[in-house]
Amino acid sequence: MRPILEARDLTKTYRAGDGEVRALQGISLAVEPGEFVAFMGPSGSGKTTLLQLLGGLDRPTSGEVVLEGVTISSMHDDEATRLRRDKTGFVFQAFNLVPLLSARENVALPFLLAGSGPGDPDVRARVDDALRLVDLDAKADRRPSELAFGEQQRVAIARAIAGRPAILFADEPTGNLDYATGIEILEYLYRSCAERGQTVVLVTHDAQAGAYADRVLFLRDGRVLEEIGLGRRSEHPARPLIERLALLGQ
Amino acid sequence: MLGPAWLGLRTLRRRPLRTALTVAGIAIGVALVFAALSVDAAASSGAAGYAAQLDGRADLAVQAFGEGTLSQATVATIDATSGVLATSPQVRRPSFAWASPGAGPGSSPGTGATAPAGSLAGIGSVGSSGLGAAAAGGAPAASGAAALAPVATRSLGAVTVVGVDPNAYRALHDESLASGQALSSSDGAGVVLAEPWAGAHGLAVGSRIALMGGGGERTYVVRGILAASGPALADGGDLAWMTIASARALFALPAGSADLVELRVDPAVGVPAVESRLEARLSTQPYLLSTSADEAAALAGASSSLGTGLLLVAAVVLFVGALLVSDALAMSVTERTREVGLLRAAGATRRQVHAMVLAEALGLGAAGSVLGLVVGALVAAVLVPVVGSVTGAPVSGTPIDPGSLAVAVLLGLLVTVVAALGPAWRAGRVAPVEALRAPTRSAPPAGLDRSAVGGAAASVAGTAVLVLGGAVTASSAQGGIAGTAGPLGALVEAVAAALAILVLVVAAGLVAPPVLRLSGAIVGAVATPLRRSLGAEVRIARRSVAHDPWRVSVAFTALATGLALFVALSGVADGMRRAGEAWIADVAPADYAVVAVSPVPDSFGTELSAVPGVRSVTPVRLFDVAIAGRRASAVAVDPGAYGGLGALTVVGGGSRTAALASLQAGGAALVPQAIADRFGLRVGDSLGLRTASGSVTLRVAAIVAHSLPGASGESVVVSQSDAARSLGITGASMFLVRADNPADAALGTALSRVAGQYALSVVRPAAIGGAVGGALDRTFGLLDVLALAGVVVAALSMLDVLLMDVRQRVGELGLLRAAGLTRAQAWRAVVVEAGILGLASALVGSVAGTAGSALVLAAGSGAPGFALGVPWPAIGLALVLGIAGTVIAATYPARLAARIDIPRALRAE
Ligand SMILES: Nc1ncnc2c1ncn2[C@@H]1O[C@H](COP(=O)(O)OP(=O)(O)OP(=O)(O)O)[C@@H](O)[C@H]1O
Ligand SMILES: [Mg+2]
C-alpha cells in the first residue's frame, strides 16, 4: 500500500544565538493509512520539530515531506495552510482551543476557516459526530474556560478528527494531565484509529502512551535510533515496550 | 531610590514602536496647544499694537451720543477738566467722494448724515477706527431729507472725513507724510488723504476731490498723503483729513462743536480719576467714554476668540493624547504583571512601583513636549498669517512666545502624569505572587479593573481640560468678546461645544460595549453576502471585539472624541451658515440693497423703480435712538411694503399679520429679541424712544426674531409715520430692491450706475451672506484641520491597541494558523476588527458631535425655531475617517498577525 505520509532525509537546523542547533539530522520514515505511530525519545531529541515538519507547520532545512502524494514541504504558505486545514488535525499539549469560542465552535473551526457557517447541516452533523466520539455532546456549548483540562483535550481531539483528516498529529496531548485522564485521552485517540481507521501520529514521553501505538520510532539527537513494531493494541500489552525502552535508557 | 524609576525608563526602549506612537500623540497635542497659545499671543499683541497706533498718545475719548454733537461748551468743559493735559476735538463722519476735474458741480443742498446700514455692509469684517469708531458709525445732526441732484463725475465711494485742529491733533498722533505737506490750521480748502485710499483711486498731491456732507458738496485740493501707519490705519485707510472748521462747514455743524474729543491724561492723575471727573462735569449732553484699553480689548476680541477656538480644539487633541498615554501605560503594566510581581517579591515597595510607572510617563511626556514645541513652532508660523487673514485684524509677533512655551510644556507633562496615575495605581496593586503564577492564555480578567483605570484616567484628564477650557473662556470673556456679534463671536460658543462634547464622550466610554456589539453586528450584516469568502474573518473579529470591550475602550473613546469634535464643528458651522442665510432672508429680503451715506428722500425710490428689471423698491430709514438713556438703533419702515417682502418673523405677541397691522395703525413698535432681552421688554410694555428732535412712547406690539442691524445692533422697527411725526426722522437710508429676475447680473450694474450718481452704493444681501459663509468656512476649516489632528492621535492609539492585541493573541493566532487560517485570513481578521472599532467610534462620535452642535446652536440662537440640522456630510466624513483611520492603523498589526511564526507561537505558550 502507498504510504499516506512520507519523510525523506529531513534535516532541520535552528539558528540559536551565534550557534546552530541541528534538531533533526536526516530522518526518513513512512506512515501507512490507518496506522497509529508514536514518536518517543528524550527531551530535545527533536520529536516536536519532526511533528511540525510532517504537519506542514514549518519547513525543513532539507529533505521533503509528502502527504498523500503531494510535497507539502515545498509548498507556498497558502497552499500548505489549505492542505493543513483539509488534510490534517492537530492536538497540542495545551491551549488547543480558542478561548472565545464554544466547544462546538472550536470543533467547527476548520470548516469555519474554510468558509462554511456553523449552521451548515453537513458541518453540524460532522461536528456532532466528532463530539459524540469524545462523549462531549452534552457540553458542546461551553466555553473552554468552563471545561476541565481533560475535557478541553477531548474537544481538541474532536476538532482534529471532525474534518476527517488524512492524518491526526498529537504532540504530548496527555502531558498536562493526571494519569487516569491521560489514559482516557489515549483511549479516545485509539478509538478514532480503531473505529474509523484514522491515521494517528503521536509524540509522547510516556511508555504507557506509546504502548497504544502500532509502531514506535525512538528518536535521539535528531535521528531515529530504533523502530519498535508492536502491532494493534488489542493484541499486545504495554509491558514489552516498557522493557524495550528501559534497554534504550529511558 | 532610583532603581525602579530607571527600570521604567528602560521599558520605553523595550517597546520602541509604542513609545514612538505615544510620544507622537503627546507631541501633536502639545504642538497644537503651543501653536494656539502663540497665535493668541500674537493676535493680542497685534491688536494692542494696532490700537496703540490708532490712538497715539490719546488715553481717552469722549464721543457724542446718538443724534448730536458735543457742543462748544462741552468741548471747553473737557478741555478745562483738571488732569487733562491735551485735547483734540474732531469731527469724524462718513462722506462720499468724487474725483473732481475742476470745480465741483455746484453745491447741492445736503442733509444730515446718519450711518448707512454700515453694520449690514460690515458683517463679518472686523475693523475699527480706533477711539472714534462709534462716532464715525453714527453721529449726526439734523434729520430732514432734501432733494439730491445727480453728479456726473467719477465716484470714489465712501470715505471717512476727519476734521481736526492740526496742531492739537499732532500733539496726540504721529503722522508720517508720504508726500506733499501736512495740513495747516488755516487751510480751508485742503485735505490730506491716507495712502491706501489715495493710491487705490489714483489721487496725488494737487488732485481735486469733491466730498459730500450735510452742508452740501464741496471741492478740496489734496495737499498731502499720509503713509499707512498711525492714525492712517483706521477704517482700512479710507480717510480724508481736513481742518475742523472745514469739516464743520462740510457737514453744516455748529461752530465750536465736535463729534469727539480725544484727550491725553496726566499720568500723575490717572485715567480713572479723569474719567470720574468728566462724568461729574459733563451733565448737559449725552456722551460716550472710551479708553484705549477698551479699544485694544475690543480689537483683540475677534482674533482672540479664534485663538480661543484653536486652543479649545488643541486642548481636546491633547486630551485625546492623554488617553493614548493612559492606554499605553496600562498595556505596559498588563504586559509586565509578572515582572512587577517579581520586583515586589524582591522587595520593591508600592511607591517604587508607582515611581517606575510615573518615570515612564514623565519620559514620554518630556519627549513628547520637546518634539511638540518644535512642531508647534512650525504650526504657529503657518497659523499666525492664516489667522490674520481669517479675522481681518492685524496679527503680529513672533511664533515663539516664551509664556506659551512654558504653558504648553507644563500642560504636556501634567496631562501625561495625570494620565499615568491610573496605570501606576494599578501597577502598585500587583501582588508579589503574580510572579509565581503561570501565564495563562485566556485573557486576564481585567474587565472591571480596566474600566476603572480607563474611566478614572478619562475623567481626570477630561476634568483638567474642562478647567482649562473654563479658564480660557473666562479670560476671553473678560477680554471683551461680545459673544454674539459676527461669525467669530460664535467661536466662544464653539468653546461651549467642545466642553459639551467632552462630557458626552467621557460618557461615551461607558457605552463602549453595546456600541461595539452593535457595530460588530452591522459589519456582520454587511459581510453576509460575502460569507463564504469572509465569514471566518468577520466571526473572529467580532468575537475578539466583543470579548473584552474594556481593552479597547480608551482608544475607542479617543477616536470618538476626535470625530465628535469634527462633527460638532461642522454642525455648528452649518447651523451658523443656515442661520445667517435665514437672517438675511428675514431682515433684508431683497435682491439688492441700495445704501445711502446720508439719508435721501424716499422719492429717490422712484428713480430706482424706473431702472428696467426692477420689480419693487422699498425704502427704509435706520437711525439712532436712546432707550432708557442708552444708545440703540431703530428703523423706520412702511409696514405694508416692508412686511410685503416677507421680512420679520414674529416670535412673541401673536401673528405676523397682526403685528404689521399694529405697526400700520401707529403707536406701536416691533422689538427684536436681542433688544427685548437687553432692555427686558415684553409684548404690551411701553417703550420710550428719544432722538435729538423728539421723543415718543410706543407699545411693544410683538417681538421679532431679527431686524435690520444699525450702528448699535439690531433695530427697533417703527412705522415711517410715527418716525416722521414724533421723532423727526424722514427719508431713507436704504432701499430694498426686488428684481424681476434675481439672476440678472446686468441689473446690478444698472442700479450701481444710477445709485453712484447720487452717492449711493449697491450691495447684494446674498453676497453678504456669502461673505459671512466664506469667513465661517475659513474659520471652521482651520478648526477642522486641528480636529483631524485629534483623529490622527486617536488612530495612533488604535494602532497601539491593535499591536498589543496581536501580541497578546500570538498563541491563539498560532493555533488558528495551525488549524488552517491562511495568512490573508489572519490579516483580514485584524483589519475587520479595526473596521468594527472605527465604525463604533464614528457612531458614538457622530451622535455626540451632533448633540454637541445642537446644544451650541440652541444656546447661541436664543430664539426658538433655530435651524437644527444633522450635519450628514460631516457624519459621512467622520464614518469614512473613523473606519479608514483605524483600518490604516491596523495594517501594520495585521501584517504582524499574518507573519507570525507558527512553531514559535505554539512554543511560546
Ligand atoms: N525555535 C528554536 N530555536 C532554536 N532551537 C530550537 C528551536 N526549537 C527547538 N529547538 C531546539 O531543537 C531541539 C529539538 O527540540 P524539540 O522541541 O523538537 O525537542 P522535543 O523532542 O520535542 O523535546 P521535548 O520532549 O522537551 O518537547 C532542542 O535542542 C531545542 O532546544
Ligand atoms: Mg516537544
Side-chain angles (χ1 to χ4, degrees):
Chain A
M1 210 190 326
R2 205 177 104 207
I4 198 166
L5 175 70
E6 264 186 285
R8 299 188 189 124
D9 210 18
L10 284 182
T11 69
K12 178 74 183 179
T13 306
Y14 292 109
R15 226 177 292 285
D18 31 345
E20 289 188 338
V21 180
R22 290 151 68 91
L24 296 183
Q25 314 199 33
I27 286 188
S28 299
L29 57 86
V31 177
E32 302 296 327
E35 212 185 354
F36 192 140
V37 178
F39 299 161
M40 298 190 70
S43 184
S45 57
K47 306 181 294 290
T48 295
T49 304
L50 177 59
L51 196 79
Q52 287 175 342
L53 294 185
L54 294 178
L57 291 174
D58 203 356
R59 284 165 188 244
T61 306
S62 71
E64 57 185 19
V65 176
V66 181
L67 179 65
E68 282 202 319
V70 282
T71 312
I72 191 170
S73 52
S74 60
M75 274 181 170
H76 180 267
D77 183 88
D78 279 355
E79 287 176 286
T81 304
R82 255 172 247 125
L83 194 71
R84 206 157 64 219
R85 186 182 74 198
D86 299 336
K87 303 279 185 194
T88 73
F90 278 95
V91 181
F92 304 106
Q93 182 169 351
F95 307 124
N96 276 292
L97 307 180
V98 179
L100 309 180
L101 303 180
S102 69
R104 184 191 303 284
E105 289 165 325
N106 265 292
V107 174
L109 196 59
F111 302 104
L112 224 120
L113 295 177
S116 313
D120 191 321
D122 184 41
V123 171
R124 227 186 145 75
R126 291 231 218 166
V127 168
D128 286 343
D129 183 45
L131 281 167
R132 245 192 317 277
L133 185 89
V134 296
D135 296 321
L136 272 180
D137 31 346
K139 299 184 175 177
D141 293 316
R142 296 208 189 165
R143 289 282 179 92
S145 55
E146 298 159 342
L147 292 171
F149 210 84
E151 289 170 332
Q152 291 183 24
Q153 290 301 78
R154 279 149 66 191
V155 174
I157 291 172
R159 182 183 62 217
I161 61 171
R164 310 241 166 89
I167 193 155
L168 187 159
F169 296 99
D171 190 352
E172 306 205 35
T174 61
N176 277 1
L177 301 177
D178 61 73
Y179 180 79
T181 319
I183 293 295
E184 207 176 282
I185 293 300
L186 289 162
E187 288 289 346
Y188 284 116
L189 277 179
Y190 178 72
R191 218 168 116 184
S192 74
C193 181
E195 290 178 11
R196 306 180 157 209
Q198 176 68 58
T199 312
V200 177
V201 174
L202 169 74
V203 166
T204 182
H205 271 304
D206 174 15
Q208 288 291 348
Y212 278 85
D214 301 329
R215 188 156 57 105
V216 174
L217 297 182
F218 192 87
L219 273 58
R220 179 170 288 166
D221 299 332
R223 290 197 176 85
V224 180
L225 187 71
E226 182 90 29
E227 182 171 335
I228 306 161
L230 297 170
R232 266 291 127 112
R233 156 86 176 179
S234 49
E235 296 145 20
H236 68 82
R239 182 153 299 280
L241 176 67
I242 296 170
E243 281 164 3
R244 190 67 183 275
L245 291 174
L247 281 178
L248 287 167
Q250 263 291 86
Chain B
M1 196 188 92
L2 197 68
W6 174 76
L7 251 178
L9 290 176
R10 276 265 300 248
T11 314
L12 295 177
R13 273 194 294 173
R14 185 155 50 181
R15 289 251 183 259
L17 182 58
R18 174 182 299 162
T19 302
L21 291 177
T22 315
V23 166
I26 302 166
I28 293 175
V30 169
L32 293 188
V33 168
F34 179 46
L37 287 170
S38 301
V39 166
D40 209 26
S44 44
S45 77
Y50 182 55
Q53 291 240 19
L54 295 185
D55 296 340
R57 285 172 291 280
D59 300 309
L60 266 177
V62 182
Q63 298 173 5
F65 172 86
E67 311 253 322
T69 53
L70 301 171
S71 67
Q72 188 163 20
T74 303
V75 173
T77 309
I78 295 169
D79 203 34
T81 302
S82 70
V84 172
L85 288 184
T87 58
S88 164
Q90 296 166 26
V91 167
R92 186 184 266 268
R93 40 186 73 197
S95 175
F96 200 90
W98 296 268
S100 174
S107 100
S108 45
T111 63
T114 289
S119 314
L120 182 61
I123 292 163
S125 77
V126 182
S128 171
S129 39
L131 292 174
S143 28
L148 266 177
V151 286
T153 45
R154 183 164 61 94
S155 142
L156 301 176
V159 64
T160 301
V161 166
V162 186
V164 298
D165 170 346
N167 294 326
Y169 190 69
R170 278 193 285 270
L172 296 183
H173 295 284
D174 295 321
E175 301 170 337
S176 113
L177 265 180
S179 61
Q181 301 169 345
L183 215 53
S184 83
S185 314
S186 56
D187 191 343
V191 288
V192 167
L193 304 179
E195 200 168 32
W197 193 72
H201 297 292
L203 300 171
V205 174
S207 299
R208 300 167 78 84
I209 62 166
L211 291 166
M212 199 194 71
E217 184 196 300
R218 287 158 198 269
T219 306
Y220 301 87
V221 178
V222 177
R223 303 271 190 238
I225 311 267
L226 288 188
S229 71
L233 292 173
D235 285 359
D238 297 351
L239 294 160
W241 286 266
M242 61 177 68
T243 60
I244 192 165
S246 309
R248 286 184 192 121
L250 176 62
F251 294 107
L253 302 179
S257 67
D259 287 330
L260 78 150
V261 178
E262 285 186 320
L263 49 98
R264 195 147 86 85
V265 168
D266 185 347
V269 178
V271 172
V274 171
E275 268 186 277
S276 45
R277 279 176 207 170
L278 284 171
E279 275 160 24
R281 293 173 56 125
L282 298 177
S283 49
T284 54
Q285 273 195 303
Y287 65 94
L288 212 72
L289 265 180
S290 62
T291 66
S292 53
D294 295 343
E295 203 49 48
L299 262 176
S303 314
S304 114
S305 61
L306 179 58
T308 306
L310 288 175
L311 190 54
L312 241 293
V313 175
V316 173
V317 173
L318 187 61
F319 164 68
V320 171
L323 292 179
L324 176 61
V325 174
S326 167
D327 214 24
L329 291 174
M331 284 190 267
S332 171
V333 168
T334 306
E335 275 180 355
R336 289 184 297 147
T337 302
R338 265 167 68 84
E339 185 183 316
V340 173
L342 208 63
L343 280 172
R344 296 275 284 126
T349 62
R350 286 205 168 159
R351 284 177 61 133
Q352 285 174 320
V353 172
H354 291 162
M356 180 176 81
V357 178
L358 290 178
E360 197 177 335
L362 269 178
L364 291 169
S369 298
V370 169
L371 188 62
L373 290 183
V374 175
V375 176
L378 296 176
V379 173
V382 173
L383 275 187
V384 164
V386 172
V387 167
S389 79
V390 165
T391 62
V395 172
S396 67
T398 53
I400 295 168
D401 171 65
S404 313
L405 194 139
V407 171
V409 170
L410 281 179
L411 219 54
L413 290 179
L414 188 76
V415 161
T416 332
V417 169
V418 168
L421 292 179
W425 175 75
R426 183 161 163 218
R429 286 202 328 162
V430 170
V433 293
E434 296 284 351
L436 314 171
R437 208 167 280 166
T440 50
R441 172 186 281 175
S442 57
L448 254 184
D449 221 17
R450 212 179 239 234
S451 78
V453 173
S459 42
V460 172
T463 313
V465 176
L466 282 170
V467 169
L468 170 77
V472 169
T473 315
S475 72
S476 313
Q478 281 169 357
I481 297 177
T484 46
L488 295 173
L491 281 174
V492 179
E493 285 141 24
V495 166
L499 299 185
I501 290 163
L502 272 180
V503 173
L504 285 169
V505 167
V506 168
L510 302 175
V511 304
V515 175
L516 285 170
R517 266 197 302 279
L518 171 68
S519 54
I522 292 174
V523 169
V526 169
T528 306
L530 305 169
R531 212 172 49 139
R532 274 220 94 65
S533 52
L534 210 64
E537 293 91 317
V538 171
R539 199 172 294 276
I540 292 170
R542 284 180 63 181
R543 290 294 178 134
S544 169
V545 168
H547 171 57
D548 182 9
W550 292 114
R551 185 173 46 92
V552 295
S553 68
V554 177
F556 163 85
T557 305
L559 186 55
T561 307
L563 292 172
L565 190 61
F566 177 75
V567 170
L569 287 170
S570 305
V572 171
D574 273 3
M576 284 170 58
R577 197 173 302 119
R578 254 178 294 125
E581 281 160 13
W583 176 81
I584 294 278
D586 205 17
V587 303
D591 301 311
Y592 296 92
V594 178
V595 179
V597 169
S598 49
V600 298
D602 284 355
S603 58
F604 177 68
T606 49
E607 300 226 15
L608 291 172
S609 303
V611 175
V614 169
R615 187 197 297 173
S616 70
V617 175
T618 311
V620 300
R621 169 70 198 271
L622 282 157
F623 57 102
D624 276 8
V625 292
I627 299 175
R630 277 182 283 172
R631 177 172 160 166
S633 291
V635 61
V637 300
D638 170 356
Y642 186 60
L645 292 174
L648 301 177
T649 305
V650 173
V651 295
S655 74
R656 183 170 171 276
T657 322
L660 289 169
S662 317
L663 204 60
Q664 185 82 63
L670 309 184
V671 176
Q673 186 79 53
I675 294 216
D677 291 346
R678 185 171 152 207
F679 293 98
L681 292 170
R682 276 175 309 178
V683 174
D685 285 356
S686 295
L687 169 65
L689 301 179
R690 188 169 64 77
T691 65
S693 355
S695 66
V696 67
T697 300
L698 301 172
R699 187 176 53 83
V700 176
I703 309 290
V704 293
H706 295 289
S707 67
L708 276 172
S712 319
E714 291 194 357
S715 48
V716 174
V717 184
V718 301
S719 70
Q720 277 179 341
S721 45
D722 280 334
R725 200 169 39 236
S726 314
L727 298 171
I729 298 292
T730 60
S733 51
M734 180 160 64
F735 296 89
L736 299 172
V737 178
R738 272 281 172 84
D740 285 331
N741 172 14
D744 181 10
L747 181 58
T749 323
L751 283 174
S752 296
R753 203 173 321 111
V754 176
Q757 290 171 9
Y758 295 92
L760 273 66
S761 43
V762 177
V763 251
R764 287 200 77 138
I768 296 166
V772 174
L776 270 176
D777 287 344
R778 282 195 299 280
T779 307
F780 279 91
L782 194 60
L783 296 180
D784 270 348
V785 169
L786 297 199
L788 288 185
V791 173
V792 169
V793 174
L796 295 183
S797 168
M798 282 290 178
L799 169 52
D800 209 3
V801 166
L802 290 166
L803 268 179
M804 162 96 166
D805 200 36
V806 167
R807 284 201 193 101
Q808 271 189 340
R809 291 195 302 162
V810 155
E812 185 185 318
L813 283 164
L815 184 68
L816 287 167
R817 292 274 288 126
L821 185 80
T822 63
R823 284 187 175 168
Q825 283 180 311
W827 190 89
R828 286 197 295 259
V830 175
V831 168
V832 170
E833 182 178 347
I836 293 174
L837 290 176
L839 175 63
S841 308
L843 289 177
V844 170
S846 297
V847 171
T850 306
S853 68
L855 279 179
V856 172
L857 292 173
S861 88
F866 67 95
L868 207 176
V870 179
W872 290 115
I875 289 180
L877 206 54
L879 279 172
V880 171
L881 280 172
I883 296 173
T886 323
V887 163
I888 290 170
T891 51
Y892 178 65
R895 227 171 77 120
L896 288 187
R899 293 279 169 94
I900 57 161
D901 180 9
I902 305 172
R904 186 174 301 204
L906 293 172
R907 208 180 290 269
E909 294 305 328

